[in-house]
């Protein structure tokens, strides 16, 4: 499970703080030194850590203590609030267009979990939002991706629009939306091509699709296991494409979790969902407050 190391380290620090009847500025400083080290060790971006520590110190020192809390608990509450804020504050929901279909472009590097997440999201929308999605196979360079999406579509009994791998991705996407309108599907989830690294040809193709289909949502799928690289990937996709949300996958793995804690702060783009396993129903809306509580115990 993600964050285990971080949670363990922070809980030790927090336990020491909890019982304090009186908290001095020195105590807060000491605690924050440990929090800082724990976050850096969890691979959180150093700029993010610096700002976080300063924000907590500023709020924690010299504030009135609430009657219901001990001073120690109050400092922990500040850490919890700031951690929630860092990860985006309120839960950020998926777009819903006034006029259907809502068009969602799924983008990301190869292996991040894009195709799997497309199917997971389609399943989530139908199961929890009563929507009727259609999936679109636009990853024409990895032939297995088309088969994979079609297989997932069959499993879910969900339509998959595909034109094989000979047609241009932008044409497939455009045709798919016409089809979705005809069939009264209310969400169109476009699985686009990934590469091993961010490159210009990939971005150009994605920009071309974006311009043609005018998506309501561009979700970047990133692998939480890749740590700081996930943050860099998010930054470059955001720069070229203007993403509207992030799906962090593989949070069930033993990632140190730094990516989850940095990606919103660095890109300004909210994390909307978290992948918690390989199975189709292992996708969860990302709740910053719950994640913060999980980390702080
Ligand atoms: P794509 O190249 O981005 O389309 O990646 P795929 O959807 O093919 O996924 C790559 C691998 O990651 C597959 O083996 C998936 O089962 C796995 N995967 C995707 N999401 C998750 C997740 O949240 N947790 C785990 N443990 N594995 C995942």
């Amino acid at each position: 499970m993600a964050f285990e190391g971080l949670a363990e380290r922070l809980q030790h620090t927090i336990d020491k703080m909890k019982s304090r009847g009186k908290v001095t500025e020195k105590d807060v400083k000491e605690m924050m030194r440990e929090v800082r080290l724990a976050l850096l060790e969890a691979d959180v971006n150093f700029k993010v850590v610096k700002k976080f520590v300063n924000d907590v110190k500023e709020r924690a020192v010299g504030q009135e203590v609430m009657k219901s809390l001990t001073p120690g608990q109050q400092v922990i509450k500040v850490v919890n609030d700031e951690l929630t804020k860092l990860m985006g504050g309120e839960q950020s929901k998926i777009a819903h267009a006034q006029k259907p279909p809502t068009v969602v472009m799924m983008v990301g590097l190869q292996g991040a979990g894009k195709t799997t997440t497309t199917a997971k999201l389609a399943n989530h929308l139908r199961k929890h939002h009563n929507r009727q999605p259609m999936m679109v196979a636009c990853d024409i360079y990895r032939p297995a991706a088309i088969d994979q999406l079609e297989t997932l579509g069959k499993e879910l009994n969900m339509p998959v629009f595909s034109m094989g791998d000979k047609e241009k991705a932008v044409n497939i996407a455009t045709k798919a939306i016409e089809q979705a309108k005809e069939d009264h599907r209310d969400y169109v989830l476009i699985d686009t091509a990934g590469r091993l690294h961010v490159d210009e040809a990939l971005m150009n193709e994605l920009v071309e699709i974006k311009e043609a289909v005018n998506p309501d949502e561009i979700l970047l799928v990133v692998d939480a296991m890749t740590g700081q690289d996930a943050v860099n990937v998010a930054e470059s996709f955001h720069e070229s494409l203007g993403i509207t949300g992030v799906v962090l996958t593989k949070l069930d793995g033993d990632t140190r979790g730094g990516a989850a804690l940095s990606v919103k702060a660095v890109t300004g783009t909210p994390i909307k969902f978290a992948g918690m396993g390989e199975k189709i129903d292992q996708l969860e809306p990302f709740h910053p407050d719950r994640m913060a509580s999980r980390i702080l115990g």
Side-chain angles (χ1 to χ4, degrees):
M1 194 60 224
F3 297 121
E4 252 165 30
L6 178 62
E8 211 169 280
R9 277 203 65 155
L10 288 181
Q11 271 151 30
H12 177 68
T13 312
I14 279 167
D15 283 345
K16 275 201 293 189
M17 194 60 146
K18 236 179 216 160
S19 52
R20 294 274 163 104
K22 191 167 166 283
V23 178
T24 64
E25 197 168 329
K26 188 163 157 268
D27 292 332
V28 174
K29 262 197 185 144
E30 231 164 66
M31 176 183 173
M32 290 317 290
R33 191 160 50 229
E34 286 181 46
V35 170
R36 183 176 161 272
L37 284 175
L39 290 173
L40 287 172
E41 216 168 79
D43 208 19
V44 179
N45 182 287
F46 77 96
K47 281 189 205 147
V48 174
V49 175
K50 195 167 171 202
K51 182 167 183 315
F52 177 78
V53 168
N54 282 337
D55 288 351
V56 173
K57 270 192 202 157
E58 222 165 78
R59 271 193 58 197
V61 171
Q63 74 169 358
E64 287 269 327
V65 177
M66 282 156 63
K67 283 214 176 65
S68 56
L69 300 176
T70 67
Q73 284 169 332
Q74 177 131 346
V75 176
I76 295 162
K77 183 176 179 309
V78 173
V79 173
N80 186 77
D81 290 351
E82 289 293 327
L83 203 54
T84 305
K85 204 162 95 190
L86 182 72
M87 289 188 284
E90 295 270 300
Q91 201 245 319
S92 200
K93 295 199 165 58
I94 188 160
H96 176 54
Q98 290 294 339
K99 193 166 165 277
T102 303
V103 177
V104 182
M105 248 177 102
M106 308 292 292
V107 302
L109 294 184
Q110 218 171 74
K114 203 166 11 66
T115 304
T116 315
T117 305
T118 304
K120 282 175 167 179
L121 185 59
N123 179 51
H124 175 88
L125 287 166
R126 185 172 61 187
K127 200 166 160 187
H128 300 286
H129 298 267
N130 205 17
R131 304 283 172 210
Q132 300 302 327
M134 179 173 99
M135 301 189 279
V136 186
C138 277
D139 186 354
I140 51 174
Y141 306 107
R142 183 167 75 90
I146 300 178
D147 295 344
Q148 193 183 337
L149 198 67
E150 284 179 340
T151 306
L152 289 165
K154 277 201 193 95
E155 255 172 57
L156 287 171
N157 196 16
M158 179 93 67
V160 174
F161 186 93
S162 158
M163 294 171 75
D165 59 1
K166 302 290 181 286
E167 193 69 49
K168 274 182 77 177
V170 62
N171 295 341
I172 302 174
T174 314
K175 282 254 167 58
I177 288 169
E178 285 169 19
Q179 187 72 49
K181 284 181 183 157
E182 249 173 58
D183 297 348
H184 303 291
R185 307 305 294 188
D186 49 15
Y187 269 82
V188 180
L189 308 183
I190 305 173
D191 184 24
T192 63
R195 299 270 202 286
L196 290 176
H197 305 283
V198 173
D199 72 38
E200 212 182 310
L202 167 70
M203 287 305 172
N204 288 343
E205 181 177 295
L206 296 176
V207 169
E208 200 182 5
I209 298 176
K210 177 186 172 179
E211 283 170 358
V213 305
N214 193 20
D216 301 287
E217 182 96 75
I218 303 179
L219 287 182
L220 173 69
V221 180
V222 284
D223 180 344
M225 302 281 280
T226 57
Q228 279 312 295
D229 224 28
V231 179
N232 298 335
V233 166
E235 266 190 311
S236 42
F237 270 82
H238 193 42
E239 219 175 79
S240 309
L241 211 57
I243 56 174
T244 57
V246 171
V247 182
L248 269 184
T249 62
K250 310 186 194 180
L251 270 183
D252 52 306
D254 61 352
T255 158
R256 288 177 290 173
L261 290 172
S262 315
V263 85
K264 165 67 174 66
V266 173
T267 65
T269 314
I271 301 167
K272 297 202 170 181
F273 292 93
M276 304 300 291
E278 291 191 89
K279 295 208 188 78
I280 205 90
D281 60 351
Q282 288 177 316
L283 181 78
E284 296 175 5
F286 185 82
H287 292 278
D289 53 344
R290 288 187 209 164
M291 197 52 96
S293 307
R294 183 136 105 200
I295 295 168
L296 297 176

